[in-house]
Amino acid sequence: MHLAPRALRRAAVVATTALLATALGCAPQPEEKAAGTPSGSAGNTCAKGELATKTSGKLTIATDEPAYEPWFKDDKPANGEGFESAVAYAVAEQLGYDKSAVVWQSVPFNKAFAPGEKTFDFNINQVSISDERKKAVDFSSGYYDVRQAVIALKGTKAAEAKSVADLKGLKLGAQVGTTSLGYIDDVVKPTRQAAAYAKNDQAKSALKNGQVDAVVVDLPTAFYITAAEVTDATIVGQFENQGGTPEQFGLVLDKGSALTACVSDAVDALREDGTLGKLEQQWLSDAVDAPVLK
């Protein structure tokens, strides 16, 4: 049976209205979406001093305990002295938080980049950026390009090493979970299993006591150890960077943190305006060239 033209028009209008209502009901509503957007996900999330931090109006920064020189001075991260303490406060200022708004927290090295929600806004503790660690946490842009170095007691066979091959038969040690230990296992590939220590202090004691022939640490730490802590030790040499990209330290954040982009922008700005370079010169000037082990 054929419908009359008027009936057809009426049916078409009803059908069109129903389709529009259905479409509008399913479509995202701009006002509601905006109202439900988390404060730390998009938009003006980097407004100075107004970030979605763990504690409103405060910036919580974590590092390990003890806090070693030259990264921190006198084991007091809050004093602003030492390269990483100075960098932390420079980043905080860039984000709109003055020194009084910064809260320091102690977090063990390995726990900083372990899976799970963090209690800090960012961690600064000589943590090298790596794809493996990125599976569990976010990293900011790199704030320091670093190389790993070998330390041995003066007058020993280890101190005479000139190449990576010369290290293979030695007993080597490093802090657990570090790139330093990774260089022993992946670059040196020694014939004797490397000794892993919970703290650098334990690795240094093992070197002094003859339990290991040499230890691996980052280059600035190597200069400080040999100059002030184990003065009868010497820097044997430094490793070449592996691959085309230099190893870098990055600030550690929660996986998917709303602050990651803001913190990276702050680090980038400090690199571009020369602040990072000035702080490196001020606090790490002793970390000059050392022989390269190939």
Side-chain angles (χ1 to χ4, degrees):
M1 175 173 133
H2 296 288
L3 293 173
R6 179 178 298 176
L8 286 170
R9 287 196 297 271
R10 185 180 300 117
V13 169
V14 171
T16 302
T17 302
L19 285 170
L20 285 171
T22 302
L24 287 171
C26 296
Q29 302 302 304
E31 291 184 1
E32 292 178 6
K33 183 179 179 183
T37 300
S39 61
S41 61
N44 298 322
T45 55
C46 295
K48 288 188 178 295
E50 299 179 8
L51 278 65
T53 54
K54 297 291 183 182
T55 302
S56 181
K58 300 288 185 181
L59 187 67
T60 303
I61 304 175
T63 195
D64 201 355
E65 184 180 6
Y68 300 106
E69 297 193 30
W71 311 105
F72 300 90
K73 193 167 176 62
D74 300 327
D75 192 19
K76 296 177 180 178
N79 65 15
E81 299 184 33
F83 179 70
E84 288 192 327
S85 181
V87 168
Y89 281 117
V91 171
E93 184 177 357
Q94 195 72 27
L95 295 172
Y97 296 87
D98 61 24
K99 196 169 183 178
S100 65
V102 172
V103 178
W104 284 92
Q105 191 178 90
S106 175
V107 172
F109 180 81
N110 277 341
K111 191 174 180 181
F113 49 86
E117 186 177 355
K118 308 305 174 195
T119 56
F120 50 78
D121 293 311
F122 70 75
N123 179 291
I124 183 166
N125 189 25
Q126 307 115 66
V127 182
S128 295
I129 301 169
S130 73
D131 290 338
E132 183 63 28
R133 289 171 179 171
K134 282 181 179 178
K135 294 176 183 178
V137 295
D138 279 0
F139 281 97
S140 71
S141 300
Y143 61 87
Y144 180 68
D145 296 353
V146 66
R147 285 193 176 191
Q148 299 299 317
V150 181
I151 301 174
L153 296 180
K154 295 174 183 176
T156 62
K157 180 181 176 182
E160 301 303 317
K162 303 297 182 187
S163 67
V164 172
D166 292 339
L167 302 172
K168 287 188 179 294
L170 302 179
K171 180 67 174 179
L172 304 174
Q175 184 176 349
V176 68
T178 60
T179 307
S180 305
L181 187 59
Y183 265 71
I184 295 175
D185 293 335
D186 302 332
V187 178
V188 180
K189 299 178 181 177
T191 56
R192 303 167 66 184
Q193 185 176 358
Y197 299 97
K199 300 280 186 182
N200 262 339
D201 278 346
Q202 295 172 354
K204 288 181 289 187
S205 294
L207 178 64
K208 288 190 287 187
N209 296 333
Q211 295 169 299
V212 292
D213 298 311
V215 295
V216 178
V217 295
D218 58 78
L219 188 56
T221 298
F223 274 97
Y224 181 75
I225 289 173
T226 54
E229 296 183 316
V230 188
T231 55
D232 57 342
T234 184
I235 297 175
V236 178
Q238 61 179 309
F239 293 107
E240 293 182 296
N241 280 320
Q242 302 301 300
T245 308
E247 180 186 348
Q248 292 186 313
F249 291 158
L251 305 176
V252 182
L253 301 95
D254 260 322
K255 184 67 176 174
S257 172
L259 304 184
T260 302
C262 302
V263 173
S264 282
D265 287 348
V267 172
D268 290 342
L270 294 171
R271 185 177 292 278
E272 289 168 12
D273 70 12
T275 299
L276 290 181
K278 292 175 182 175
L279 293 177
E280 185 176 328
Q281 180 62 33
Q282 179 181 358
W283 295 107
L284 305 179
S285 59
D286 287 340
V288 294
D289 290 337
V292 177
L293 299 168
K294 297 182 179 181

